[in-house]
């Protein structure tokens, strides 16, 4: 006869009381409701014990050899170099549009080295990767964000958009996370963090928790909201490429740590969904994503224009390349490049990720021609070269593995795989701020005309402009920004190209309605003028 769990509990309890081991409580009756409550109580205890045992079962571990780890790390760095060089000629030349098949792509044995000789600044995104890696190598994994921020502020090469805005913010005293927050950085939703986050995944092989932790702490120097998610997503793709073989799995797993309601997550999820609907037609997926998600609302240079530096759309093109490339190096970077927009940054990421997936030894030989000539290159002001990056990354990766419960036994490396990691909290940039108007200003502040007034209606604004040197030496202006009769702040505008403020004037979260903006130079000088090109105006409702 089959005996259920409650009958077993009752028989065992009766036996204990019958042998006098326990005194039967007066309130316990094994008949009727009393027995049912007692049985349920014991059953809950048993279930809790069973659940506790499951939780304390040994974690799943992953093992690989030291040689394989280094090979994958080197594949990641080399893949970035190749992808960046391959796609550099098309950077932002095909804005919000596909590069047609009639446009030929070129690659030759001397292509990589000749590009470095002529235009090394093309690789500026990778320079930031090296900058952060070099700083980590000197300071260790416990480095504080302010130390990386300081290193970024002192970089001796040009930066753009969110990176340049972050540098400017740091130099005027705004520390992370304020330096990357959208209220202080209009480029917070741009793809600046995701195109410099590769190193995080390369020093965190298969270690998702450290990847996310580092991504949050270090990414807030540059970005917030979707811009932050973009960097963490890319770093996770790299990390997962050490332990998985299929690009589709990388995307599936990386999506799990992003907040489901974020527009970034929804965009990438729809890329994956449409890849499964149209597995042989990446152009169809591109059309669907561009139509729904292709409008940039944050970057002042891109609002109401084809230029798109938005994190989610450029991450979508990286993802399309990875999914439809299916692990083939050439196909991956080719598809990513043909998606257009920020081609060099995007192809550097997809090339780096697939390079990590394959490992250096499996990257086809025709792509490695000219590599030796550029590996020894060190960006100005840095004590690190591309040749040294893999070995330094390996050193940091091994340290990271040990800190997170892994073991290194000779040539064998093993580490636990953390599962059920909770998703990141939701953060939305430009909440209730919708671009309403882009208006030409064509104004100039100078020694002669040191003040101006601009009227607008909305909840926020951003002004595109620049400081124009009239003499060789550098000059810095302080410009008072008064909104509706109240001092809202002062913009500091250095003339030095490495220090310039990419968006000189902006302010958000104003009360809805009409506003009067008054700008005045503190100390007019004949050394420089300030050009005000156009104003982007935000409101609580989207433009019709």
């Amino acid at each position: 006869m089959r005996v259920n769990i409650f009958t077993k509990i009752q028989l065992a309890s009766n036996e204990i009381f019958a042998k006098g081991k326990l005194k039967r409580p007066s309130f316990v009756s094994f008949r009727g409701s009393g027995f049912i409550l007692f049985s349920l109580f014991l059953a809950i205890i048993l279930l809790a014990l069973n659940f506790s045992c499951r939780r304390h079962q040994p974690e799943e571990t992953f093992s690989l050899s030291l040689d394989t780890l280094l090979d994958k790390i080197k594949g990641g760095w080399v893949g970035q170099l190749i992808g960046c060089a391959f796609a550099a000629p098309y950077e932002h030349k095909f804005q919000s549009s596909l590069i047609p098949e009639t446009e030929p792509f070129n690659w030759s044995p001397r292509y990589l080295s000749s590009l470095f000789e002529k235009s090394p600044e093309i690789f500026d995104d990778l320079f930031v990767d090296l900058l952060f890696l070099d700083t980590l190598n000197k300071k260790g994994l416990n480095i504080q964000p302010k130390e990386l921020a300081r290193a970024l502020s002192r970089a001796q090469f040009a930066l753009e958009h969110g990176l340049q805005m972050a540098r400017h913010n740091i130099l005027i005293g705004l520390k992370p996370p304020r330096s990357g927050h959208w209220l202080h950085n209009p480029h917070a939703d741009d793809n600046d963090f995701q195109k410099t986050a590769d190193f995080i995944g390369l020093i965190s092989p298969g270690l998702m928790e450290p990847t996310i932790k580092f991504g949050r702490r270090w990414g807030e120097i540059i970005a917030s909201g979707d811009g932050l998610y973009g960097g963490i997503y890319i770093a996770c793709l790299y990390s997962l490429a050490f332990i998985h073989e299929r690009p589709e799995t990388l995307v599936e797993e990386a999506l799990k740590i992003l907040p489901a309601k974020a527009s970034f997550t929804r965009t990438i999820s729809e890329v994956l969904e449409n890849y499964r609907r149209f597995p042989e037609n990446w152009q169809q997926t591109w059309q669907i994503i561009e139509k729904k998600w292709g409008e940039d609302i944050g970057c002042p240079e891109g609002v109401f224009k084809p230029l798109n530096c938005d994190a989610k759309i450029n991450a979508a093109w990286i993802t399309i390349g990875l999914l439809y490339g299916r692990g083939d190096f050439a196909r991956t970077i080719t598809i990513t490049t043909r998606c257009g927009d920020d081609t060099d940054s995007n192809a550097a990421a997809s090339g780096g990720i697939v390079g990590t997936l394959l490992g250096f030894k499996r990257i086809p030989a025709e792509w490695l021609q000219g590599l030796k000539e550029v590996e020894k290159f060190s960006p100005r002001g840095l004590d690190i070269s591309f040749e040294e990056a893999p070995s330094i990354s390996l050193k940091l990766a091994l340290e990271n593995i040990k800190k997170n419960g892994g073991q290194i036994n000779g040539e064998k490396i093993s580490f636990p795989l953390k599962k059920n990691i909770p998703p990141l909290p939701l953060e939305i940039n430009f909440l209730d701020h919708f671009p309403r108007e882009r208006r030409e200003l064509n104004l100039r502040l100078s020694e002669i005309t040191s003040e101006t007034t601009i009227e607008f209606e909305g909840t926020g604004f951003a002004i595109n402009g620049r400081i124009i040197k009239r003499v060789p030496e550098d000059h810095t202006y302080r410009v008072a920004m008064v909104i509706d009769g109240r001092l809202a702040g002062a913009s500091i505008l250095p003339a030095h190209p490495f220090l310039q403020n990419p968006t000189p004037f902006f302010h958000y979260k104003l009360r809805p309605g009409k506003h009067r903006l008054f700008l005045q130079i503190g100390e007019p000088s004949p050394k420089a003028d300030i050009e005000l090109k156009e104003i982007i105006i935000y409101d609580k409702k989207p433009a019709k």
Side-chain angles (χ1 to χ4, degrees):
M1 179 179 71
R2 187 175 180 180
V3 182
N4 63 36
I5 188 171
F6 295 105
T7 304
K8 289 180 180 179
I9 294 171
Q10 181 183 16
L11 292 172
S13 301
N14 283 337
E15 182 181 355
I16 291 171
F17 287 124
K19 292 180 179 179
K21 293 180 181 179
L22 289 175
K23 183 177 179 181
R24 189 189 301 272
S26 58
F27 60 84
V28 176
S29 169
F30 287 94
R31 295 179 181 176
S33 61
F35 164 67
I36 294 173
L37 290 172
F38 182 70
S39 301
L40 284 171
F41 175 72
L42 287 178
I44 290 169
I45 290 176
L46 289 171
L47 288 170
L49 287 170
N50 183 49
F51 178 71
S52 178
C53 289
R54 284 185 180 180
R55 287 185 63 188
H56 290 88
Q57 285 178 351
E59 293 176 305
E60 181 185 351
T61 60
F62 184 86
S63 299
L64 76 170
S65 69
L66 186 63
D67 180 67
T68 299
L69 178 59
L70 178 58
D71 184 58
K72 283 180 169 286
I73 290 173
K74 187 172 182 180
W77 280 105
V78 171
Q80 288 183 73
L81 272 171
I82 296 169
C84 183
F86 177 72
Y90 311 96
E91 181 191 13
H92 290 302
K93 290 184 178 177
F94 291 82
Q95 300 175 359
S96 301
S97 66
L98 290 169
I99 300 179
E101 297 289 339
T102 53
E103 180 75 26
F105 288 165
N106 299 312
W107 188 264
S108 64
R110 283 277 303 156
Y111 185 81
L112 183 60
S113 56
S114 64
L115 197 62
F116 250 98
E117 291 169 6
K118 295 175 183 176
S119 308
E121 69 279 358
I122 285 171
F123 300 88
D124 55 351
D125 300 338
L126 277 74
F127 294 173
V128 179
D129 261 323
L130 288 179
L131 169 71
F132 286 152
L133 186 73
D134 187 39
T135 309
L136 283 176
N137 186 41
K138 294 172 180 175
K139 302 284 187 178
L141 292 176
N142 292 325
I143 190 172
Q144 295 299 309
K146 65 181 180 181
E147 294 181 89
L148 282 175
R150 188 182 301 114
L152 180 67
S153 71
R154 296 174 179 176
Q156 295 181 37
F157 44 84
L159 302 172
E160 295 180 330
H161 293 267
L163 282 163
Q164 179 60 19
M165 194 76 225
R167 169 157 64 182
H168 174 80
N169 285 342
I170 295 159
L171 288 170
I172 65 172
L174 284 178
K175 298 177 181 179
R178 294 178 71 201
S179 58
H181 194 273
W182 70 278
L183 291 176
H184 307 285
N185 190 335
H187 304 269
D189 267 341
D190 287 5
N191 64 331
D192 294 272
F193 178 37
Q194 74 190 31
K195 62 189 182 183
T196 56
D198 317 69
F199 77 101
I200 297 174
L202 290 171
I203 66 168
S204 307
L207 305 173
M208 290 294 282
E209 282 189 334
T211 302
I212 297 163
K213 182 184 77 171
F214 294 153
R216 289 189 70 179
R217 294 182 69 208
W218 303 339
E220 287 178 342
I221 298 169
I222 305 165
S224 60
D226 276 359
L228 181 65
Y229 302 145
I232 295 174
Y233 171 70
I234 294 299
C236 284
L237 292 175
Y238 272 96
S239 179
L240 291 161
F242 287 91
I243 61 174
H244 295 290
E245 296 180 356
R246 298 170 60 247
E248 187 173 351
T249 306
L250 308 188
V251 176
E252 289 172 344
E253 293 299 314
L255 278 170
K256 291 178 182 178
I257 61 93
L258 301 176
K261 293 184 179 180
S263 58
F264 184 95
T265 313
R266 291 160 60 199
T267 303
I268 305 303
S269 296
E270 289 188 21
V271 171
L272 183 58
E273 175 188 330
N274 283 287
Y275 164 68
R276 289 166 176 165
R277 288 177 62 200
F278 312 107
E280 304 301 326
N281 190 345
W282 66 266
Q283 293 93 338
Q284 179 72 25
T285 296
W286 186 95
Q287 295 285 354
I288 292 169
I289 299 301
E290 173 63 32
K291 183 177 181 180
K292 183 172 181 179
W293 299 105
E295 186 176 344
D296 191 350
I297 68 167
C299 176
E301 288 94 331
V303 172
F304 295 137
K305 286 197 171 184
L307 176 70
N308 202 326
C309 298
D310 186 64
K312 63 180 180 293
I313 203 70
N314 284 287
W317 307 155
I318 295 167
T319 306
I320 286 177
L322 289 170
L323 292 173
Y324 286 92
R326 298 187 178 96
D328 180 278
F329 187 84
R331 182 172 168 79
T332 297
I333 62 172
T334 298
I335 292 175
T336 297
T337 303
R338 289 212 178 273
C339 287
D341 291 321
D342 196 356
T343 53
D344 61 336
S345 301
N346 297 342
S350 66
I353 294 162
V354 74
T356 306
L357 194 76
L358 295 170
F360 173 74
K361 294 174 185 175
R362 292 171 60 196
I363 296 176
E366 60 265 27
W367 293 100
L368 304 177
Q369 295 169 334
L371 181 63
K372 289 192 177 296
E373 288 90 332
V374 305
E375 280 187 321
K376 296 187 184 300
F377 180 87
S378 294
R380 183 181 174 186
L382 296 187
D383 302 321
I384 186 175
S385 67
F386 286 106
E387 186 178 40
E388 297 169 297
S391 59
I392 292 173
S393 300
L394 176 65
K395 171 196 159 188
L396 293 168
L398 293 175
E399 180 186 340
N400 205 0
I401 287 168
K402 288 179 182 177
K403 288 185 67 173
N404 288 277
Q407 294 184 340
I408 302 166
N409 298 312
E411 292 294 311
K412 183 181 179 182
I413 301 167
S414 60
F415 47 86
L417 299 178
K418 299 285 186 182
K419 295 189 176 182
N420 301 317
I421 300 173
L424 294 162
L426 178 64
E427 180 181 31
I428 302 174
N429 295 338
F430 301 97
L431 184 62
D432 295 328
H433 283 64
F434 299 94
R436 173 180 173 175
E437 180 186 358
R438 184 184 194 99
R439 184 200 309 166
E440 287 192 8
L441 296 175
N442 296 323
L443 299 172
R444 184 170 287 218
L445 298 178
S446 65
E447 183 185 28
I448 299 171
T449 309
S450 61
E451 60 185 52
T452 190
T453 299
I454 302 168
E455 295 184 348
F456 67 95
E457 183 174 356
T459 56
F461 69 90
I463 293 177
N464 289 324
R466 59 177 180 147
I467 187 166
I468 303 172
K469 293 167 64 172
R470 300 181 67 86
V471 293
E473 64 263 28
D474 294 325
H475 182 71
T476 298
Y477 269 135
R478 288 180 64 90
V479 182
M481 186 167 65
V482 179
I483 302 174
D484 301 331
R486 295 184 178 183
L487 182 65
S491 285
I492 300 173
L493 306 178
H496 192 287
F498 287 3
L499 307 179
Q500 284 200 8
N501 183 340
T503 308
F505 307 101
F506 59 91
H507 202 86
Y508 306 109
K509 287 192 170 183
L510 296 171
R511 59 168 177 77
K514 295 182 178 180
H515 300 281
R516 187 181 182 89
L517 170 65
F518 175 71
L519 302 174
Q520 184 179 46
I521 296 176
E523 296 180 5
S525 168
K527 294 181 178 180
D529 293 350
I530 300 170
E531 181 185 34
L532 307 179
K533 294 181 180 179
E534 52 200 0
I535 182 172
I536 293 87
I537 301 166
Y538 290 84
D539 209 344
K540 292 191 73 174
K541 295 181 180 180
K544 294 181 179 179

